[in-house]
Amino acid sequence: TQLLEQSPQFLSIQEGENLTVYCNSSSVFSSLQWYRQEPGEGPVLLVTVVTGGEVKKLKRLTFQFGDARKDSSLHITAAQPGDTGLYLCVGGVGDYKLSFGAGTTVTVRA
Amino acid sequence: GAVVSQHPSRVICKSGTSVKIECRSLDFQATTMFWYRQFPKQSLMLMATSNEGSKATYEQGVEKDKFLINHASLTLSTLTVTSAHPEDSSFYICSARDGWAGNGYTFGSGTRLTVV
């Protein structure tokens, strides 16, 4: 299993602030997905990035895939309490091999 | 979009008994499904890869005889925790993929297992 380092592990911010979560690896991934998971539920896919340098936006969320496809970031602008959850990055190698980041617990205080 | 149904969502069982968890792909066929275990506020740990019509592939350190996986059809995989003990209490999640890697993986809603 390839190592995918995710940081920070915990993030607590005030409503309206911005935040960024990072995923880094020494290995190249064919694709990278970001998921959000709420307590007691399974992870829900937010986005998939497959092209080096790709940037995708989902409302206030901006996802970037590094040029070398070894790293990715998730940036949330003007965070809201509804953004609270565990964010996971998952790197794909080939068709089925997956590498999971350790997860970032985000808490947005009202 | 793709939906994966996992059942039951919660189960409490006595120590020494066995528990079966089902994972179904509702609107797509999944030749491969994955089973994970998750501890509070931590990421998912892959336990095994379930392959339709063949034996599952287990990750290092996962006991095959304790966590029995059956993938008898293209839409159903089951995980049976045999002779459960309190240390098996955890959140178990399955996932499957619909089509190519760009679609991402769809996860079940998870099963909270408590062994008393």
Side-chain angles (χ1 to χ4, degrees):
Chain A
T1 304
Q2 300 188 38
L3 185 61
L4 191 55
E5 296 183 357
Q6 186 173 344
S7 62
Q9 187 176 358
F10 298 97
L11 199 53
S12 180
I13 60 172
Q14 200 70 32
E15 181 177 5
E17 294 181 341
N18 302 332
L19 67 95
T20 303
V21 180
Y22 300 92
C23 270
N24 297 287
S25 175
S26 58
S27 302
V28 176
F29 292 102
S30 56
S31 66
L32 194 138
Q33 285 103 30
W34 285 92
Y35 296 82
R36 181 170 68 216
Q37 183 182 21
E38 298 187 11
E41 299 289 333
V44 176
L45 179 66
L46 296 174
V47 76
T48 298
V49 286
V50 297
T51 306
E54 183 176 5
V55 177
K56 282 191 174 180
K57 291 191 176 184
L58 184 65
K59 295 184 181 179
R60 293 175 294 99
L61 279 61
T62 301
F63 306 86
Q64 187 164 5
F65 202 14
D67 291 341
R69 289 185 290 137
K70 294 182 179 181
D71 56 272
S72 182
S73 64
L74 157 62
H75 182 78
I76 301 179
T77 303
Q80 299 177 0
D83 297 324
T84 293
L86 176 68
Y87 289 81
L88 296 166
C89 61
V90 182
V93 178
D95 274 345
Y96 289 111
K97 284 288 185 181
L98 296 179
S99 180
F100 283 80
T104 298
T105 300
V106 173
T107 304
V108 183
R109 305 184 304 273
Chain B
V3 178
V4 172
S5 175
Q6 187 172 341
H7 179 81
S9 58
R10 293 178 182 272
V11 58
I12 301 173
C13 70
K14 291 184 177 181
S15 186
T17 62
S18 296
V19 173
K20 180 184 286 188
I21 304 170
E22 292 188 349
C23 182
R24 294 180 184 273
S25 57
L26 294 188
D27 48 4
F28 66 100
Q29 295 182 334
T31 55
T32 303
M33 290 186 178
F34 305 88
W35 287 96
Y36 308 86
R37 185 171 179 175
Q38 185 179 33
F39 295 101
K41 294 189 176 181
Q42 293 188 23
S43 188
L44 281 67
M45 293 172 45
L46 180 65
M47 297 175 64
T49 302
S50 171
N51 304 297
E52 187 269 335
S54 65
K55 292 182 178 180
T57 303
Y58 291 81
E59 295 299 302
Q60 190 173 8
V62 177
E63 298 178 58
K64 302 178 182 181
D65 295 332
K66 179 160 194 63
F67 299 99
L68 299 180
I69 291 174
N70 183 278
H71 195 154
S73 77
L74 287 172
T75 59
L76 174 64
S77 176
T78 61
L79 168 68
T80 301
V81 183
T82 63
S83 186
H85 291 287
E87 57 264 31
D88 298 324
S89 298
S90 191
F91 194 55
Y92 293 88
I93 306 176
C94 67
S95 77
R97 196 184 78 197
D98 180 15
W100 75 292
N103 289 345
Y105 290 77
T106 302
F107 289 83
S109 55
T111 298
R112 169 69 61 193
L113 170 63
T114 303
V115 184
V116 297

